[in-house]
Coordinates of all heavy atoms in Angstrom, one line a residue:
M13 N -134.7 -100.2 -188.3 CA -134.9 -99.0 -187.5 C -134.2 -99.2 -186.2 O -134.6 -100.1 -185.4 CB -136.4 -98.8 -187.4 CG -136.7 -97.5 -186.7 SD -136.5 -96.1 -187.9 CE -137.0 -94.8 -186.9
P14 N -133.3 -98.3 -185.8 CA -132.7 -98.4 -184.5 C -133.6 -98.1 -183.3 O -134.5 -97.3 -183.4 CB -131.5 -97.4 -184.5 CG -132.0 -96.4 -185.5 CD -132.8 -97.1 -186.5
E15 N -133.4 -98.8 -182.2 CA -134.2 -98.5 -181.0 C -133.6 -97.2 -180.4 O -132.4 -97.1 -180.1 CB -134.0 -99.6 -180.0 CG -134.8 -99.4 -178.7 CD -134.7 -100.5 -177.7 OE1 -134.6 -101.7 -178.2 OE2 -134.6 -100.3 -176.5
I16 N -134.4 -96.2 -180.2 CA -134.0 -94.9 -179.7 C -134.5 -94.7 -178.2 O -135.7 -94.9 -177.9 CB -134.6 -93.8 -180.5 CG1 -134.1 -93.9 -182.0 CG2 -134.2 -92.4 -180.0 CD1 -134.7 -93.0 -183.0
E17 N -133.5 -94.4 -177.3 CA -133.8 -94.2 -175.9 C -133.7 -92.7 -175.6 O -132.8 -92.0 -176.1 CB -132.9 -95.0 -175.1 CG -133.0 -96.5 -175.2 CD -132.1 -97.2 -174.3 OE1 -131.8 -96.8 -173.2 OE2 -131.5 -98.3 -174.8
V18 N -134.7 -92.2 -174.9 CA -134.7 -90.7 -174.5 C -134.2 -90.6 -173.1 O -134.6 -91.3 -172.2 CB -136.2 -90.2 -174.7 CG1 -136.2 -88.7 -174.3 CG2 -136.7 -90.5 -176.1
Y19 N -133.4 -89.5 -172.9 CA -132.8 -89.3 -171.6 C -133.0 -87.8 -171.2 O -133.2 -86.9 -172.0 CB -131.3 -89.5 -171.6 CG -130.9 -91.0 -171.8 CD1 -130.8 -91.6 -173.0 CD2 -130.8 -91.8 -170.6 CE1 -130.5 -92.9 -173.1 CE2 -130.5 -93.1 -170.7 CZ -130.4 -93.7 -172.0 OH -130.1 -95.0 -172.1
D20 N -132.9 -87.6 -169.9 CA -133.0 -86.3 -169.3 C -134.2 -85.5 -169.8 O -134.1 -84.3 -170.3 CB -131.7 -85.5 -169.5 CG -130.6 -86.2 -168.8 OD1 -130.8 -87.1 -168.0 OD2 -129.4 -85.7 -169.0
E21 N -135.4 -86.1 -169.7 CA -136.7 -85.5 -170.1 C -136.7 -84.9 -171.5 O -137.1 -83.8 -171.8 CB -137.0 -84.3 -169.1 CG -137.2 -84.9 -167.7 CD -137.4 -83.8 -166.7 OE1 -137.5 -82.6 -167.1 OE2 -137.5 -84.1 -165.5
G22 N -136.1 -85.7 -172.4 CA -136.1 -85.3 -173.8 C -134.9 -84.5 -174.3 O -134.9 -84.0 -175.4
A23 N -134.0 -84.2 -173.4 CA -132.8 -83.4 -173.8 C -132.0 -84.0 -174.9 O -131.4 -83.3 -175.8 CB -132.0 -83.0 -172.6
F24 N -131.8 -85.3 -174.9 CA -131.1 -86.0 -175.9 C -131.6 -87.5 -176.0 O -132.2 -88.0 -175.1 CB -129.6 -86.0 -175.6 CG -129.1 -86.7 -174.4 CD1 -128.6 -88.0 -174.6 CD2 -129.1 -86.2 -173.2 CE1 -128.2 -88.7 -173.4 CE2 -128.7 -86.9 -172.0 CZ -128.2 -88.2 -172.2
T25 N -131.2 -88.1 -177.2 CA -131.5 -89.5 -177.4 C -130.3 -90.2 -177.7 O -129.3 -89.7 -178.2 CB -132.5 -89.6 -178.6 OG1 -131.9 -89.0 -179.8 CG2 -133.8 -88.9 -178.4
V26 N -130.3 -91.5 -177.4 CA -129.2 -92.4 -177.7 C -129.7 -93.6 -178.5 O -130.7 -94.1 -178.2 CB -128.5 -92.9 -176.4 CG1 -127.4 -93.9 -176.7 CG2 -127.9 -91.7 -175.6
F27 N -128.9 -94.0 -179.5 CA -129.3 -95.1 -180.4 C -128.1 -95.9 -180.8 O -127.0 -95.3 -180.9 CB -130.2 -94.7 -181.5 CG -129.5 -93.7 -182.4 CD1 -128.8 -94.1 -183.6 CD2 -129.5 -92.3 -182.1 CE1 -128.2 -93.2 -184.4 CE2 -128.9 -91.4 -182.9 CZ -128.2 -91.8 -184.1
K28 N -128.2 -97.1 -181.2 CA -127.1 -97.9 -181.7 C -127.1 -97.8 -183.2 O -128.1 -97.9 -183.9 CB -127.3 -99.4 -181.3 CG -126.1 -100.2 -181.5 CD -126.2 -101.6 -180.9 CE -124.9 -102.3 -181.0 NZ -125.0 -103.6 -180.2
T29 N -125.9 -97.5 -183.7 CA -125.8 -97.3 -185.2 C -125.6 -98.6 -185.9 O -125.4 -99.7 -185.3 CB -124.6 -96.4 -185.5 OG1 -123.4 -97.2 -185.2 CG2 -124.6 -95.1 -184.7
R30 N -125.7 -98.6 -187.2 CA -125.5 -99.9 -188.0 C -124.1 -100.4 -187.9 O -123.9 -101.6 -188.2 CB -125.9 -99.6 -189.4 CG -125.1 -98.7 -190.2 CD -125.6 -98.5 -191.6 NE -124.8 -97.5 -192.3 CZ -124.9 -97.3 -193.6 NH1 -125.7 -98.0 -194.3 NH2 -124.1 -96.4 -194.1
W31 N -123.1 -99.6 -187.4 CA -121.8 -100.1 -187.2 C -121.5 -100.7 -185.9 O -120.4 -101.1 -185.6 CB -120.8 -99.0 -187.5 CG -120.9 -98.5 -188.9 CD1 -120.3 -99.0 -190.0 CD2 -121.6 -97.3 -189.4 NE1 -120.7 -98.3 -191.1 CE2 -121.5 -97.3 -190.8 CE3 -122.4 -96.4 -188.7 CZ2 -122.1 -96.3 -191.5 CZ3 -123.0 -95.4 -189.5 CH2 -122.8 -95.4 -190.9
G32 N -122.5 -100.7 -185.0 CA -122.4 -101.2 -183.7 C -121.9 -100.2 -182.6 O -121.7 -100.6 -181.5
T33 N -121.8 -99.0 -183.0 CA -121.4 -97.9 -182.0 C -122.7 -97.3 -181.5 O -123.8 -97.6 -182.0 CB -120.5 -96.8 -182.6 OG1 -121.2 -96.2 -183.7 CG2 -119.2 -97.4 -183.1
Y34 N -122.6 -96.4 -180.5 CA -123.7 -95.7 -180.0 C -123.6 -94.2 -180.3 O -122.4 -93.7 -180.3 CB -123.9 -95.9 -178.5 CG -124.3 -97.3 -178.1 CD1 -123.3 -98.2 -177.9 CD2 -125.6 -97.6 -178.0 CE1 -123.7 -99.5 -177.5 CE2 -126.0 -98.9 -177.7 CZ -125.0 -99.9 -177.4 OH -125.4 -101.1 -177.1
A35 N -124.7 -93.5 -180.6 CA -124.6 -92.1 -181.0 C -125.7 -91.4 -180.2 O -126.7 -92.0 -179.8 CB -124.9 -91.9 -182.5
A36 N -125.4 -90.1 -179.9 CA -126.4 -89.3 -179.2 C -126.7 -88.0 -180.0 O -125.8 -87.5 -180.7 CB -125.8 -88.9 -177.9
R37 N -127.9 -87.6 -180.0 CA -128.4 -86.4 -180.7 C -129.2 -85.6 -179.7 O -129.9 -86.1 -178.8 CB -129.3 -86.7 -181.9 CG -128.5 -87.5 -182.9 CD -129.4 -87.6 -184.2 NE -128.7 -88.3 -185.2 CZ -127.9 -87.8 -186.2 NH1 -127.7 -86.5 -186.1 NH2 -127.3 -88.5 -187.1
D38 N -129.1 -84.2 -179.8 CA -129.9 -83.4 -179.0 C -131.3 -83.3 -179.5 O -131.7 -83.9 -180.5 CB -129.3 -82.0 -178.8 CG -129.2 -81.2 -180.2 OD1 -129.9 -81.6 -181.1 OD2 -128.6 -80.1 -180.2
K39 N -132.2 -82.5 -178.8 CA -133.6 -82.6 -179.2 C -133.9 -81.9 -180.5 O -134.9 -82.1 -181.1 CB -134.5 -81.9 -178.1 CG -134.1 -80.5 -177.8 CD -135.0 -80.0 -176.6 CE -134.5 -78.7 -176.1 NZ -135.3 -78.2 -175.0
E40 N -132.9 -81.1 -181.1 CA -133.0 -80.6 -182.4 C -132.5 -81.5 -183.5 O -132.6 -81.2 -184.7 CB -132.3 -79.2 -182.5 CG -133.0 -78.1 -181.9 CD -132.7 -78.0 -180.4 OE1 -131.6 -78.4 -180.0 OE2 -133.6 -77.6 -179.6
G41 N -131.9 -82.7 -183.1 CA -131.4 -83.6 -184.0 C -129.9 -83.5 -184.3 O -129.4 -84.2 -185.2
N42 N -129.2 -82.5 -183.7 CA -127.8 -82.3 -183.9 C -127.0 -83.4 -183.2 O -127.3 -83.7 -182.0 CB -127.4 -80.9 -183.3 CG -128.1 -79.8 -184.0 OD1 -128.2 -79.8 -185.2 ND2 -128.6 -78.9 -183.2
G43 N -126.0 -83.9 -183.9 CA -125.1 -85.0 -183.3 C -124.3 -84.4 -182.1 O -123.8 -83.3 -182.2
L44 N -124.3 -85.2 -181.0 CA -123.5 -84.8 -179.8 C -122.2 -85.6 -179.7 O -121.1 -85.0 -179.6 CB -124.3 -84.9 -178.6 CG -125.5 -84.1 -178.4 CD1 -126.3 -84.5 -177.2 CD2 -125.1 -82.6 -178.3
C45 N -122.3 -86.9 -179.8 CA -121.1 -87.7 -179.7 C -121.4 -89.1 -180.1 O -122.6 -89.5 -180.3 CB -120.6 -87.7 -178.2 SG -121.8 -88.3 -177.0
T46 N -120.3 -89.9 -180.2 CA -120.4 -91.3 -180.6 C -119.4 -92.1 -179.8 O -118.3 -91.6 -179.5 CB -120.1 -91.5 -182.1 OG1 -121.0 -90.7 -182.9 CG2 -120.2 -92.9 -182.5
S47 N -119.7 -93.3 -179.4 CA -118.8 -94.1 -178.6 C -119.1 -95.6 -178.8 O -120.2 -96.0 -179.3 CB -119.0 -93.8 -177.1 OG -118.2 -94.6 -176.3
L48 N -118.1 -96.4 -178.5 CA -118.3 -97.9 -178.5 C -119.1 -98.3 -177.3 O -119.7 -99.4 -177.4 CB -116.9 -98.6 -178.5 CG -116.0 -98.3 -179.7 CD1 -114.7 -99.0 -179.4 CD2 -116.6 -98.9 -180.9
D49 N -119.2 -97.5 -176.3 CA -119.9 -97.9 -175.1 C -121.1 -97.0 -174.8 O -121.0 -95.8 -174.9 CB -118.9 -97.7 -173.9 CG -119.5 -98.1 -172.6 OD1 -119.8 -99.3 -172.4 OD2 -119.6 -97.2 -171.7
K50 N -122.3 -97.6 -174.5 CA -123.5 -96.8 -174.3 C -123.4 -95.9 -173.2 O -123.8 -94.7 -173.3 CB -124.7 -97.8 -174.2 CG -126.0 -97.1 -174.0 CD -127.1 -98.2 -173.9 CE -128.4 -97.6 -173.7 NZ -129.4 -98.7 -173.5
D51 N -122.8 -96.3 -172.0 CA -122.7 -95.5 -170.9 C -121.8 -94.3 -171.1 O -122.1 -93.2 -170.7 CB -122.2 -96.3 -169.7 CG -123.2 -97.3 -169.1 OD1 -124.4 -97.0 -169.3 OD2 -122.8 -98.3 -168.6
A52 N -120.8 -94.5 -171.9 CA -119.9 -93.4 -172.2 C -120.6 -92.4 -173.1 O -120.4 -91.2 -173.0 CB -118.6 -93.9 -172.9
T53 N -121.4 -92.8 -174.0 CA -122.2 -92.0 -174.9 C -123.1 -91.1 -174.1 O -123.3 -89.9 -174.3 CB -123.0 -92.8 -175.9 OG1 -122.1 -93.6 -176.6 CG2 -123.7 -91.9 -176.9
I54 N -123.8 -91.7 -173.1 CA -124.7 -90.9 -172.2 C -123.9 -89.9 -171.4 O -124.3 -88.7 -171.3 CB -125.5 -91.9 -171.3 CG1 -126.4 -92.8 -172.1 CG2 -126.3 -91.1 -170.2 CD1 -126.9 -94.0 -171.3
F55 N -122.8 -90.3 -170.9 CA -122.0 -89.3 -170.1 C -121.5 -88.2 -170.9 O -121.7 -87.0 -170.5 CB -120.7 -90.1 -169.5 CG -119.7 -89.1 -168.9 CD1 -120.0 -88.7 -167.6 CD2 -118.6 -88.6 -169.6 CE1 -119.1 -87.8 -167.0 CE2 -117.8 -87.8 -169.0 CZ -118.0 -87.4 -167.7
W56 N -121.0 -88.4 -172.1 CA -120.5 -87.3 -173.0 C -121.6 -86.5 -173.6 O -121.4 -85.3 -173.8 CB -119.5 -87.9 -174.0 CG -118.2 -88.3 -173.4 CD1 -117.7 -89.5 -173.2 CD2 -117.3 -87.4 -172.8 NE1 -116.5 -89.5 -172.6 CE2 -116.2 -88.2 -172.3 CE3 -117.2 -86.0 -172.7 CZ2 -115.1 -87.6 -171.7 CZ3 -116.1 -85.5 -172.0 CH2 -115.1 -86.3 -171.5
A57 N -122.7 -87.1 -173.8 CA -123.9 -86.2 -174.3 C -124.3 -85.2 -173.2 O -124.5 -84.1 -173.5 CB -125.0 -87.1 -174.6
R58 N -124.3 -85.7 -171.9 CA -124.6 -84.8 -170.8 C -123.5 -83.7 -170.7 O -123.8 -82.5 -170.4 CB -124.8 -85.5 -169.5 CG -126.1 -86.3 -169.5 CD -126.2 -87.1 -168.2 NE -127.5 -87.7 -168.1 CZ -127.7 -88.9 -167.7 NH1 -126.7 -89.7 -167.2 NH2 -128.9 -89.4 -167.7
E59 N -122.3 -84.1 -170.9 CA -121.2 -83.1 -170.8 C -121.3 -82.1 -171.9 O -121.2 -80.9 -171.6 CB -119.8 -83.8 -171.0 CG -119.4 -84.6 -169.7 CD -119.0 -83.7 -168.6 OE1 -117.9 -83.1 -168.6 OE2 -119.8 -83.7 -167.6
H60 N -121.6 -82.5 -173.1 CA -121.8 -81.5 -174.2 C -123.0 -80.5 -173.9 O -122.8 -79.3 -174.1 CB -122.2 -82.3 -175.5 CG -121.0 -82.8 -176.2 ND1 -120.3 -82.0 -177.1 CD2 -120.4 -84.0 -176.2 CE1 -119.3 -82.7 -177.6 NE2 -119.3 -83.9 -177.1
L61 N -124.1 -81.1 -173.4 CA -125.2 -80.2 -173.1 C -125.0 -79.3 -171.9 O -125.7 -78.2 -171.9 CB -126.5 -81.1 -172.9 CG -126.9 -81.8 -174.2 CD1 -128.1 -82.8 -173.8 CD2 -127.4 -80.9 -175.3
N62 N -124.2 -79.7 -171.0 CA -124.0 -78.9 -169.8 C -122.6 -78.1 -169.8 O -122.1 -77.7 -168.7 CB -124.1 -79.8 -168.5 CG -125.4 -80.3 -168.4 OD1 -126.4 -79.6 -168.5 ND2 -125.5 -81.6 -168.1
D63 N -122.0 -77.9 -170.9 CA -120.8 -77.2 -171.1 C -119.6 -77.8 -170.3 O -118.8 -77.1 -169.7 CB -121.0 -75.7 -170.7 CG -121.9 -75.0 -171.6 OD1 -121.9 -75.3 -172.8 OD2 -122.6 -74.1 -171.2
F64 N -119.5 -79.1 -170.3 CA -118.4 -79.9 -169.8 C -118.1 -79.6 -168.3 O -116.9 -79.2 -168.0 CB -117.2 -79.7 -170.7 CG -117.4 -80.1 -172.1 CD1 -117.8 -79.2 -173.1 CD2 -117.3 -81.5 -172.5 CE1 -118.1 -79.6 -174.4 CE2 -117.6 -81.9 -173.8 CZ -117.9 -81.0 -174.7
P65 N -119.0 -79.7 -167.4 CA -118.7 -79.4 -166.0 C -117.7 -80.3 -165.3 O -117.0 -80.0 -164.4 CB -120.0 -79.4 -165.3 CG -120.8 -80.3 -166.1 CD -120.4 -80.1 -167.5
N66 N -117.6 -81.6 -165.8 CA -116.8 -82.6 -165.2 C -115.5 -82.9 -166.0 O -114.8 -83.8 -165.8 CB -117.6 -83.9 -165.1 CG -118.8 -83.7 -164.2 OD1 -118.7 -83.2 -163.1 ND2 -119.9 -84.1 -164.7
S67 N -115.2 -82.0 -167.0 CA -114.1 -82.2 -167.9 C -113.2 -81.0 -167.9 O -113.6 -79.9 -167.7 CB -114.6 -82.5 -169.3 OG -115.5 -83.6 -169.3
Y68 N -111.9 -81.3 -168.2 CA -111.0 -80.2 -168.4 C -109.9 -80.6 -169.3 O -109.7 -81.8 -169.6 CB -110.4 -79.7 -167.0 CG -109.5 -80.8 -166.4 CD1 -108.2 -80.8 -166.6 CD2 -110.1 -81.8 -165.6 CE1 -107.4 -81.8 -166.0 CE2 -109.3 -82.7 -165.0 CZ -107.9 -82.7 -165.2 OH -107.2 -83.7 -164.6
A69 N -109.2 -79.6 -169.9 CA -108.1 -79.9 -170.8 C -106.9 -79.1 -170.3 O -107.0 -78.0 -169.8 CB -108.4 -79.5 -172.2
T70 N -105.7 -79.7 -170.5 CA -104.5 -79.0 -170.2 C -103.6 -79.0 -171.4 O -103.6 -79.9 -172.2 CB -103.7 -79.8 -169.0 OG1 -103.5 -81.1 -169.4 CG2 -104.6 -79.8 -167.8
S71 N -102.7 -78.0 -171.4 CA -101.7 -77.9 -172.5 C -100.3 -77.9 -171.9 O -100.1 -77.1 -171.0 CB -102.0 -76.7 -173.4 OG -103.2 -76.8 -174.0
T72 N -99.4 -78.6 -172.4 CA -98.0 -78.6 -171.9 C -97.1 -78.4 -173.1 O -97.4 -78.8 -174.2 CB -97.7 -79.8 -171.1 OG1 -97.9 -81.0 -172.0 CG2 -98.5 -80.0 -169.9
N73 N -95.9 -77.9 -172.8 CA -94.9 -77.7 -173.9 C -95.5 -76.9 -175.1 O -95.2 -77.3 -176.2 CB -94.4 -79.0 -174.3 CG -93.7 -79.8 -173.2 OD1 -93.1 -79.2 -172.3 ND2 -93.8 -81.1 -173.2
V74 N -96.2 -75.8 -174.8 CA -96.7 -75.0 -175.9 C -95.7 -73.9 -176.2 O -95.2 -73.3 -175.3 CB -98.1 -74.4 -175.5 CG1 -98.6 -73.4 -176.5 CG2 -99.1 -75.4 -175.2
S75 N -95.4 -73.8 -177.5 CA -94.4 -72.7 -177.9 C -95.0 -71.9 -179.1 O -95.9 -72.4 -179.8 CB -93.1 -73.4 -178.3 OG -93.3 -74.2 -179.4
T76 N -94.5 -70.7 -179.2 CA -94.9 -69.8 -180.3 C -93.7 -69.5 -181.1 O -92.7 -69.1 -180.6 CB -95.6 -68.6 -179.7 OG1 -96.7 -69.0 -178.9 CG2 -96.1 -67.7 -180.8
V77 N -93.8 -69.6 -182.4 CA -92.7 -69.2 -183.3 C -93.1 -67.9 -184.0 O -94.2 -67.8 -184.6 CB -92.5 -70.3 -184.4 CG1 -91.4 -69.9 -185.4 CG2 -92.2 -71.6 -183.7
I78 N -92.2 -66.9 -183.9 CA -92.4 -65.6 -184.5 C -91.7 -65.6 -185.8 O -90.5 -66.0 -185.9 CB -91.9 -64.5 -183.6 CG1 -92.7 -64.5 -182.3 CG2 -92.1 -63.2 -184.3 CD1 -92.2 -63.5 -181.2
G79 N -92.4 -65.3 -186.9 CA -91.8 -65.2 -188.2 C -92.3 -66.4 -189.0 O -93.3 -67.0 -188.7
D80 N -91.6 -66.6 -190.1 CA -92.0 -67.7 -191.1 C -91.4 -69.0 -190.7 O -90.2 -69.3 -190.9 CB -91.6 -67.3 -192.5 CG -92.2 -68.1 -193.5 OD1 -93.0 -69.1 -193.2 OD2 -92.0 -67.9 -194.7
S81 N -92.2 -69.8 -190.1 CA -91.7 -71.1 -189.6 C -91.6 -72.2 -190.7 O -91.1 -73.3 -190.4 CB -92.5 -71.6 -188.4 OG -93.8 -71.9 -188.9
L82 N -92.0 -71.9 -191.9 CA -92.0 -72.8 -193.0 C -90.7 -72.8 -193.8 O -90.6 -73.7 -194.7 CB -93.2 -72.6 -193.9 CG -94.6 -72.8 -193.2 CD1 -95.7 -72.4 -194.2 CD2 -94.8 -74.2 -192.7
K83 N -89.8 -71.9 -193.5 CA -88.6 -71.8 -194.3 C -87.6 -72.8 -193.8 O -87.5 -73.2 -192.7 CB -88.0 -70.4 -194.2 CG -88.8 -69.4 -195.0 CD -88.1 -68.1 -194.9 CE -88.8 -67.1 -195.7 NZ -88.2 -65.8 -195.7

């Protein structure tokens, strides 16, 4: 049985899996993230629950092909 730690007043839990990684689940039991590092798992679980306030994504070199690109 893995040791389960509760964070942010029960908002999510973190536990070590049988493969040696760490996983986080929300209070309903839905998986949030998995990482090799416990601190990273805690960070990304908070990001998931708070709609990623400290994260952003960028796209470069995006192009659109009009027509059948599979020919």
Side-chain angles (χ1 to χ4, degrees):
M13 184 79 179
E15 181 179 323
I16 299 172
E17 296 180 38
V18 179
Y19 290 88
D20 297 351
E21 299 175 5
F24 68 96
T25 58
V26 173
F27 58 95
K28 193 167 188 177
T29 68
R30 65 180 174 169
W31 298 279
T33 61
Y34 292 90
R37 295 190 182 270
D38 66 11
K39 60 184 169 185
E40 285 84 31
N42 301 312
L44 295 173
C45 61
T46 302
S47 177
L48 295 173
D49 181 64
K50 183 177 176 182
D51 291 332
T53 305
I54 295 166
F55 173 81
W56 286 109
R58 287 181 176 138
E59 286 289 287
H60 277 274
L61 293 174
N62 295 315
D63 295 324
F64 301 97
N66 300 308
S67 304
Y68 65 92
T70 60
S71 296
T72 58
N73 299 325
V74 176
S75 64
T76 304
V77 177
I78 298 174
D80 191 357
S81 63
L82 298 176
K83 288 185 178 181

